[in-house]
Amino acid sequence: MRQKIFTYFILGLFFICTSCSNRQYQVLFQQKNSITDSAYKSADIINEYRIKPQDVIQVRNLQDTKYLVNTTPSTAVNTNILANGTVAGVDQSYQVEDDGTVILPAIGRIKVAGYTRNEAQKLVEDTYRKNVLVNPIIELKIVSLKVTMLGEIKGQGNYPLTKDHMTLIEMIGAAGGITEKANETNIKIIRGTEKNPKVILVDLGNIQSINDPRTILQNGDIVYIAQNKRAVRTDNLQSFTSTIFQPALLLFNTALIIFTLIHR
């Protein structure tokens, strides 16, 4: 009789514990009210990034570099360094110095700080066209820009901003998507300086978030995805079970065995 009661007691506790851990499904991109946050229409949130000292850029010429302005260039000028952006298979990256300039093959030092990526690309292209190449097609990328993904995301860590106007949705996709524990209605983008941080709340359950310009990521953004309430309750229950219930159950089970042996 005692063993049956004990068995029912254990089964009951098991069902109570497991009933709180049902799988949570996110509901994304539902039709909700329009975003009314005043920051939504703020013009400064979609400003183009401007190159700064210590940024790292990649420059390559998509045109054949054998076509030179000077048909008999100096042998000391190696323009092949821009061919496909590689030399012996190594990507060519150039760091912007403290004075805002960068040293590029064949044209030397040129100032790029303060320019947007497109502006710097045109400046470099025009300089190569004037001094070195015929009809160059220059591709310039800023490869040092990154975003940090934290919380309930399948791939936490730092991710590069590989293109202009990369959105939160695209970055979440690049990081493998949100986890089952994620609260899709409570995603924070932490932006700004250490002294003046700004927190932007995003609700991916609202389809309007797709068109929210605040979700265009900027260099240094930290994206944090919180847990949903069900996951928090489950974690708390598991913590309670492991720290209190399991030792108590072990003690109860030991006492029951001793009691059974004594009363045989």
Side-chain angles (χ1 to χ4, degrees):
M1 184 64 182
R2 293 190 189 93
Q3 290 181 343
K4 288 184 178 180
I5 294 175
F6 177 72
T7 302
Y8 294 146
F9 174 73
I10 296 300
L11 289 175
L13 287 177
F14 174 77
F15 287 124
I16 291 173
C17 293
T18 56
S19 64
C20 297
S21 59
N22 291 335
R23 188 172 180 178
Q24 173 78 13
Y25 291 92
Q26 286 84 19
V27 181
L28 302 176
F29 309 131
Q30 300 297 299
Q31 189 68 47
K32 297 183 180 180
N33 294 331
S34 299
I35 297 173
T36 57
D37 190 332
S38 60
Y40 178 81
K41 296 183 179 180
S42 176
D44 62 357
I45 60 178
I46 54 175
N47 281 347
E48 294 281 348
Y49 178 81
R50 294 188 176 274
I51 298 173
K52 299 176 182 177
Q54 305 305 315
D55 280 346
V56 178
I57 64 174
Q58 284 183 353
V59 180
R60 66 173 178 170
N61 179 32
L62 303 181
Q63 183 63 281
D64 192 340
T65 56
K66 70 181 180 181
Y67 298 107
L68 304 176
V69 173
N70 183 355
T71 56
T72 57
S74 169
T75 55
V77 177
N78 178 19
T79 56
N80 289 328
I81 196 168
L82 287 177
N84 298 322
T86 62
V87 175
V90 179
D91 289 339
Q92 293 302 295
S93 299
Y94 310 92
Q95 187 171 42
V96 182
E97 299 182 11
D98 290 337
D99 62 358
T101 64
V102 65
I103 300 175
L104 297 177
I107 62 175
R109 191 178 298 276
I110 183 172
K111 185 174 182 179
V112 294
Y115 293 97
T116 66
R117 187 193 65 81
N118 286 327
E119 291 170 348
Q121 179 174 279
K122 185 177 186 305
L123 176 64
V124 172
E125 187 173 87
D126 290 345
T127 305
Y128 272 108
R129 179 181 291 108
K130 180 180 179 181
N131 299 320
V132 182
L133 302 174
V134 175
N135 296 324
I137 302 175
I138 297 297
E139 180 185 65
L140 185 149
K141 295 180 180 180
I142 310 171
V143 296
S144 55
L145 307 184
K146 63 181 179 64
V147 170
T148 301
M149 306 291 289
L150 299 173
E152 294 301 328
I153 188 80
K154 292 182 179 178
Q156 296 191 56
N158 294 326
Y159 288 84
L161 290 172
T162 56
K163 68 173 188 175
D164 298 335
H165 304 295
M166 192 162 190
T167 66
L168 173 64
I169 303 300
E170 291 174 311
M171 187 59 73
I172 289 176
I178 58 179
T179 70
E180 296 173 359
K181 295 181 178 181
N183 183 354
E184 74 279 8
T185 66
N186 185 13
I187 296 178
K188 296 181 178 69
I189 302 176
I190 303 170
R191 177 174 297 166
T193 63
E194 294 180 358
K195 295 182 179 180
N196 186 29
K198 178 170 61 176
V199 178
I200 299 169
L201 297 177
V202 180
D203 177 5
L204 290 186
N206 188 351
I207 196 171
Q208 298 294 332
S209 63
I210 295 177
N211 299 318
D212 187 346
R214 300 174 305 165
T215 64
I216 296 176
L217 297 176
Q218 300 179 13
N219 180 47
D221 280 355
I222 300 173
V223 177
Y224 176 74
I225 303 175
Q227 281 190 341
N228 56 56
K229 293 181 179 179
R230 184 184 296 269
V232 172
R233 289 196 302 266
T234 301
D235 287 348
N236 290 339
L237 179 60
Q238 290 176 347
S239 177
F240 172 80
T241 301
S242 61
T243 58
I244 298 178
F245 176 71
Q246 288 181 352
L249 180 60
L250 179 61
L251 181 62
F252 176 79
N253 192 24
T254 303
L256 183 62
I257 293 173
I258 296 173
F259 179 82
T260 304
L261 292 174
I262 293 174
H263 291 80
R264 278 186 173 181

